[in-house]
Short mmCIF file of all heavy atoms in Angstrom, two decimals:
data_model
loop_
_atom_site.label_atom_id
_atom_site.label_comp_id
_atom_site.label_asym_id
_atom_site.label_seq_id
_atom_site.Cartn_x
_atom_site.Cartn_y
_atom_site.Cartn_z
N ALA J 169 -16.81 -4.27 10.58
CA ALA J 169 -15.43 -4.29 11.03
C ALA J 169 -15.30 -4.25 12.55
O ALA J 169 -14.58 -5.04 13.15
CB ALA J 169 -14.66 -3.14 10.40
N GLN J 170 -16.06 -3.35 13.19
CA GLN J 170 -15.92 -3.24 14.64
C GLN J 170 -16.31 -4.54 15.35
O GLN J 170 -15.63 -4.98 16.27
CB GLN J 170 -16.73 -2.05 15.18
CG GLN J 170 -16.56 -1.81 16.67
CD GLN J 170 -15.13 -1.44 17.06
OE1 GLN J 170 -14.55 -0.50 16.52
NE2 GLN J 170 -14.53 -2.21 17.97
N GLU J 171 -17.39 -5.16 14.88
CA GLU J 171 -17.79 -6.40 15.57
C GLU J 171 -16.78 -7.53 15.35
O GLU J 171 -16.53 -8.33 16.26
CB GLU J 171 -19.21 -6.83 15.15
CG GLU J 171 -19.38 -7.13 13.69
CD GLU J 171 -20.87 -7.20 13.29
OE1 GLU J 171 -21.54 -6.13 13.22
OE2 GLU J 171 -21.33 -8.32 13.04
N VAL J 172 -16.18 -7.56 14.15
CA VAL J 172 -15.16 -8.58 13.90
C VAL J 172 -13.94 -8.33 14.79
O VAL J 172 -13.36 -9.25 15.36
CB VAL J 172 -14.76 -8.58 12.41
CG1 VAL J 172 -13.42 -9.28 12.20
CG2 VAL J 172 -15.85 -9.26 11.58
N ILE J 173 -13.58 -7.06 14.93
CA ILE J 173 -12.44 -6.72 15.79
C ILE J 173 -12.75 -7.08 17.24
O ILE J 173 -11.91 -7.64 17.94
CB ILE J 173 -12.08 -5.23 15.61
CG1 ILE J 173 -11.41 -5.05 14.24
CG2 ILE J 173 -11.18 -4.74 16.73
CD1 ILE J 173 -11.26 -3.62 13.79
N ASP J 174 -13.98 -6.81 17.66
CA ASP J 174 -14.38 -7.21 19.01
C ASP J 174 -14.23 -8.73 19.18
O ASP J 174 -13.75 -9.20 20.21
CB ASP J 174 -15.84 -6.81 19.28
CG ASP J 174 -16.00 -5.29 19.37
OD1 ASP J 174 -14.99 -4.57 19.51
OD2 ASP J 174 -17.16 -4.82 19.30
N ALA J 175 -14.64 -9.47 18.16
CA ALA J 175 -14.57 -10.93 18.23
C ALA J 175 -13.11 -11.39 18.32
O ALA J 175 -12.78 -12.31 19.08
CB ALA J 175 -15.25 -11.56 17.02
N LEU J 176 -12.24 -10.73 17.58
CA LEU J 176 -10.82 -11.08 17.63
C LEU J 176 -10.25 -10.82 19.02
O LEU J 176 -9.53 -11.65 19.58
CB LEU J 176 -10.03 -10.28 16.59
CG LEU J 176 -10.15 -10.76 15.14
CD1 LEU J 176 -9.60 -9.71 14.18
CD2 LEU J 176 -9.41 -12.08 14.95
N VAL J 177 -10.59 -9.66 19.56
CA VAL J 177 -10.11 -9.31 20.90
C VAL J 177 -10.62 -10.34 21.90
O VAL J 177 -9.88 -10.85 22.75
CB VAL J 177 -10.59 -7.90 21.29
CG1 VAL J 177 -10.30 -7.62 22.76
CG2 VAL J 177 -9.90 -6.85 20.41
N GLU J 178 -11.89 -10.67 21.76
CA GLU J 178 -12.53 -11.67 22.61
C GLU J 178 -11.79 -13.02 22.53
O GLU J 178 -11.64 -13.72 23.53
CB GLU J 178 -13.98 -11.84 22.15
CG GLU J 178 -14.83 -12.76 23.00
CD GLU J 178 -15.00 -12.24 24.43
OE1 GLU J 178 -14.97 -11.00 24.63
OE2 GLU J 178 -15.15 -13.08 25.32
N ALA J 179 -11.31 -13.33 21.34
CA ALA J 179 -10.61 -14.60 21.13
C ALA J 179 -9.16 -14.54 21.61
O ALA J 179 -8.41 -15.50 21.48
CB ALA J 179 -10.66 -14.99 19.66
N GLY J 180 -8.76 -13.38 22.14
CA GLY J 180 -7.42 -13.28 22.73
C GLY J 180 -6.34 -12.74 21.80
O GLY J 180 -5.17 -12.74 22.15
N ILE J 181 -6.76 -12.28 20.62
CA ILE J 181 -5.78 -11.72 19.67
C ILE J 181 -5.32 -10.35 20.15
O ILE J 181 -6.12 -9.53 20.56
CB ILE J 181 -6.43 -11.60 18.27
CG1 ILE J 181 -6.73 -12.99 17.70
CG2 ILE J 181 -5.55 -10.81 17.32
CD1 ILE J 181 -5.51 -13.83 17.44
N LYS J 182 -4.01 -10.13 20.08
CA LYS J 182 -3.45 -8.87 20.58
C LYS J 182 -2.93 -7.97 19.45
O LYS J 182 -2.52 -6.83 19.70
CB LYS J 182 -2.30 -9.16 21.54
CG LYS J 182 -2.72 -9.89 22.82
CD LYS J 182 -3.04 -8.89 23.92
CE LYS J 182 -3.48 -9.58 25.20
NZ LYS J 182 -4.85 -10.14 25.10
N SER J 183 -2.88 -8.50 18.23
CA SER J 183 -2.33 -7.74 17.10
C SER J 183 -3.26 -7.84 15.91
O SER J 183 -3.56 -8.94 15.43
CB SER J 183 -0.97 -8.30 16.70
OG SER J 183 -0.06 -8.14 17.75
N ILE J 184 -3.72 -6.69 15.45
CA ILE J 184 -4.70 -6.68 14.38
C ILE J 184 -4.25 -5.77 13.26
O ILE J 184 -3.85 -4.62 13.48
CB ILE J 184 -6.07 -6.22 14.93
CG1 ILE J 184 -6.59 -7.23 15.96
CG2 ILE J 184 -7.08 -6.04 13.79
CD1 ILE J 184 -7.83 -6.77 16.71
N LEU J 185 -4.30 -6.30 12.05
CA LEU J 185 -4.03 -5.51 10.87
C LEU J 185 -5.38 -5.22 10.22
O LEU J 185 -6.07 -6.14 9.77
CB LEU J 185 -3.13 -6.30 9.90
CG LEU J 185 -2.56 -5.54 8.71
CD1 LEU J 185 -1.61 -4.44 9.17
CD2 LEU J 185 -1.82 -6.50 7.78
N ASN J 186 -5.74 -3.95 10.20
CA ASN J 186 -7.10 -3.58 9.81
C ASN J 186 -7.15 -2.90 8.45
O ASN J 186 -6.61 -1.81 8.28
CB ASN J 186 -7.69 -2.65 10.87
CG ASN J 186 -9.02 -2.08 10.47
OD1 ASN J 186 -9.84 -2.77 9.86
ND2 ASN J 186 -9.24 -0.81 10.78
N TYR J 187 -7.82 -3.54 7.49
CA TYR J 187 -7.97 -2.94 6.16
C TYR J 187 -9.27 -2.13 6.02
O TYR J 187 -9.48 -1.50 5.01
CB TYR J 187 -7.96 -4.03 5.09
CG TYR J 187 -6.57 -4.55 4.73
CD1 TYR J 187 -5.95 -5.52 5.51
CD2 TYR J 187 -5.90 -4.08 3.61
CE1 TYR J 187 -4.69 -6.00 5.18
CE2 TYR J 187 -4.63 -4.57 3.27
CZ TYR J 187 -4.04 -5.53 4.06
OH TYR J 187 -2.79 -6.00 3.73
N ALA J 188 -10.13 -2.20 7.04
CA ALA J 188 -11.41 -1.48 6.94
C ALA J 188 -11.20 0.00 7.25
O ALA J 188 -10.42 0.35 8.13
CB ALA J 188 -12.42 -2.09 7.90
N PRO J 189 -11.90 0.86 6.54
CA PRO J 189 -11.68 2.30 6.70
C PRO J 189 -12.37 2.88 7.92
O PRO J 189 -13.24 3.73 7.80
CB PRO J 189 -12.24 2.88 5.41
CG PRO J 189 -13.25 1.90 4.94
CD PRO J 189 -12.82 0.56 5.44
N LEU J 190 -11.98 2.45 9.09
CA LEU J 190 -12.44 3.09 10.33
C LEU J 190 -11.37 3.03 11.39
O LEU J 190 -10.41 2.28 11.28
CB LEU J 190 -13.76 2.50 10.85
CG LEU J 190 -13.99 1.04 11.14
CD1 LEU J 190 -12.78 0.19 11.32
CD2 LEU J 190 -14.92 0.88 12.31
N SER J 191 -11.53 3.84 12.42
CA SER J 191 -10.61 3.81 13.56
C SER J 191 -11.27 2.98 14.64
O SER J 191 -12.15 3.46 15.34
CB SER J 191 -10.39 5.22 14.11
OG SER J 191 -10.09 6.11 13.07
N PRO J 192 -10.88 1.74 14.76
CA PRO J 192 -11.59 0.85 15.67
C PRO J 192 -11.29 1.15 17.12
O PRO J 192 -10.25 1.70 17.46
CB PRO J 192 -11.07 -0.52 15.28
CG PRO J 192 -9.72 -0.28 14.72
CD PRO J 192 -9.74 1.09 14.11
N GLN J 193 -12.23 0.78 17.98
CA GLN J 193 -12.05 0.91 19.42
C GLN J 193 -11.53 -0.43 19.94
O GLN J 193 -12.19 -1.45 19.74
CB GLN J 193 -13.38 1.20 20.10
CG GLN J 193 -14.26 2.20 19.39
CD GLN J 193 -14.04 3.62 19.88
OE1 GLN J 193 -14.20 4.56 19.14
NE2 GLN J 193 -13.63 3.77 21.12
N VAL J 194 -10.39 -0.40 20.57
CA VAL J 194 -9.87 -1.63 21.16
C VAL J 194 -9.39 -1.35 22.57
O VAL J 194 -8.99 -0.24 22.88
CB VAL J 194 -8.70 -2.23 20.35
CG1 VAL J 194 -9.18 -2.79 19.03
CG2 VAL J 194 -7.60 -1.21 20.14
N PRO J 195 -9.42 -2.38 23.43
CA PRO J 195 -8.94 -2.18 24.79
C PRO J 195 -7.41 -2.04 24.82
O PRO J 195 -6.73 -2.39 23.85
CB PRO J 195 -9.37 -3.46 25.51
CG PRO J 195 -9.58 -4.47 24.44
CD PRO J 195 -9.98 -3.72 23.22
N GLU J 196 -6.91 -1.52 25.91
CA GLU J 196 -5.47 -1.42 26.09
C GLU J 196 -4.81 -2.78 25.96
O GLU J 196 -5.38 -3.80 26.35
CB GLU J 196 -5.16 -0.87 27.49
CG GLU J 196 -5.33 0.61 27.61
CD GLU J 196 -4.17 1.24 28.38
OE1 GLU J 196 -3.37 0.49 28.99
OE2 GLU J 196 -4.08 2.47 28.36
N GLY J 197 -3.63 -2.77 25.40
CA GLY J 197 -2.91 -4.03 25.27
C GLY J 197 -3.10 -4.67 23.92
O GLY J 197 -2.43 -5.64 23.58
N VAL J 198 -4.03 -4.14 23.14
CA VAL J 198 -4.24 -4.64 21.79
C VAL J 198 -3.68 -3.61 20.80
O VAL J 198 -3.96 -2.41 20.93
CB VAL J 198 -5.73 -4.90 21.50
CG1 VAL J 198 -5.93 -5.33 20.06
CG2 VAL J 198 -6.29 -5.92 22.47
N THR J 199 -2.88 -4.06 19.87
CA THR J 199 -2.29 -3.17 18.88
C THR J 199 -3.02 -3.31 17.56
O THR J 199 -3.23 -4.42 17.08
CB THR J 199 -0.80 -3.52 18.65
OG1 THR J 199 -0.15 -3.61 19.90
CG2 THR J 199 -0.12 -2.47 17.78
N VAL J 200 -3.42 -2.19 17.00
CA VAL J 200 -4.07 -2.21 15.69
C VAL J 200 -3.26 -1.33 14.75
O VAL J 200 -2.87 -0.22 15.10
CB VAL J 200 -5.50 -1.64 15.74
CG1 VAL J 200 -6.15 -1.73 14.37
CG2 VAL J 200 -6.33 -2.37 16.76
N ARG J 201 -3.01 -1.84 13.55
CA ARG J 201 -2.40 -1.01 12.52
C ARG J 201 -3.37 -0.98 11.34
O ARG J 201 -3.90 -2.02 10.96
CB ARG J 201 -1.07 -1.60 12.04
CG ARG J 201 0.02 -1.68 13.08
CD ARG J 201 0.93 -0.45 13.03
NE ARG J 201 1.22 0.01 14.38
CZ ARG J 201 2.23 -0.42 15.14
NH1 ARG J 201 3.09 -1.26 14.66
NH2 ARG J 201 2.38 0.03 16.34
N GLY J 202 -3.58 0.20 10.81
CA GLY J 202 -4.51 0.31 9.70
C GLY J 202 -3.79 0.40 8.37
O GLY J 202 -2.74 1.02 8.26
N ILE J 203 -4.38 -0.23 7.37
CA ILE J 203 -3.88 -0.13 6.00
C ILE J 203 -4.99 0.58 5.23
O ILE J 203 -6.08 0.03 5.06
CB ILE J 203 -3.65 -1.51 5.38
CG1 ILE J 203 -2.62 -2.31 6.18
CG2 ILE J 203 -3.21 -1.38 3.91
CD1 ILE J 203 -1.21 -1.81 6.07
N ASP J 204 -4.72 1.80 4.80
CA ASP J 204 -5.82 2.60 4.27
C ASP J 204 -5.35 3.54 3.16
O ASP J 204 -5.05 4.70 3.39
CB ASP J 204 -6.42 3.40 5.43
CG ASP J 204 -7.81 3.91 5.11
OD1 ASP J 204 -8.06 4.19 3.93
OD2 ASP J 204 -8.62 4.03 6.04
N PRO J 205 -5.29 3.01 1.95
CA PRO J 205 -4.77 3.82 0.84
C PRO J 205 -5.56 5.10 0.61
O PRO J 205 -4.97 6.12 0.25
CB PRO J 205 -4.85 2.88 -0.36
CG PRO J 205 -5.70 1.75 0.04
CD PRO J 205 -5.64 1.65 1.52
N VAL J 206 -6.86 5.06 0.83
CA VAL J 206 -7.67 6.26 0.58
C VAL J 206 -7.25 7.38 1.53
O VAL J 206 -7.09 8.54 1.12
CB VAL J 206 -9.18 5.96 0.71
CG1 VAL J 206 -9.98 7.24 0.72
CG2 VAL J 206 -9.63 5.04 -0.42
N LEU J 207 -7.04 7.03 2.79
CA LEU J 207 -6.59 8.01 3.76
C LEU J 207 -5.26 8.64 3.32
O LEU J 207 -5.07 9.86 3.44
CB LEU J 207 -6.40 7.32 5.11
CG LEU J 207 -6.88 7.99 6.37
CD1 LEU J 207 -8.31 8.47 6.25
CD2 LEU J 207 -6.74 7.05 7.55
N SER J 208 -4.38 7.82 2.81
CA SER J 208 -3.09 8.34 2.35
C SER J 208 -3.27 9.30 1.19
O SER J 208 -2.66 10.37 1.15
CB SER J 208 -2.17 7.19 1.90
OG SER J 208 -1.95 6.31 2.98
N LEU J 209 -4.13 8.92 0.26
CA LEU J 209 -4.39 9.80 -0.88
C LEU J 209 -4.99 11.11 -0.41
O LEU J 209 -4.61 12.20 -0.86
CB LEU J 209 -5.33 9.13 -1.87
CG LEU J 209 -4.77 7.96 -2.67
CD1 LEU J 209 -5.87 7.30 -3.50
CD2 LEU J 209 -3.64 8.43 -3.58
N GLN J 210 -5.94 11.01 0.53
CA GLN J 210 -6.65 12.21 0.96
C GLN J 210 -5.75 13.22 1.67
O GLN J 210 -6.05 14.40 1.68
CB GLN J 210 -7.82 11.82 1.88
CG GLN J 210 -8.97 11.19 1.11
CD GLN J 210 -10.13 10.80 2.00
OE1 GLN J 210 -9.92 10.41 3.14
NE2 GLN J 210 -11.34 10.89 1.48
#
Side-chain angles (χ1 to χ4, degrees):
Chain J
Q170 184 63 55
E171 61 195 73
V172 161
I173 287 168
D174 292 344
L176 283 167
V177 170
E178 185 63 29
I181 293 295
K182 295 268 179 287
S183 297
I184 296 171
L185 189 65
N186 173 38
Y187 281 82
L190 55 19
S191 312
Q193 318 268 150
V194 290
E196 282 224 349
V198 176
T199 310
V200 182
R201 297 266 137 89
I203 300 289
D204 198 328
V206 169
L207 223 50
S208 300
L209 289 174
Q210 287 180 326

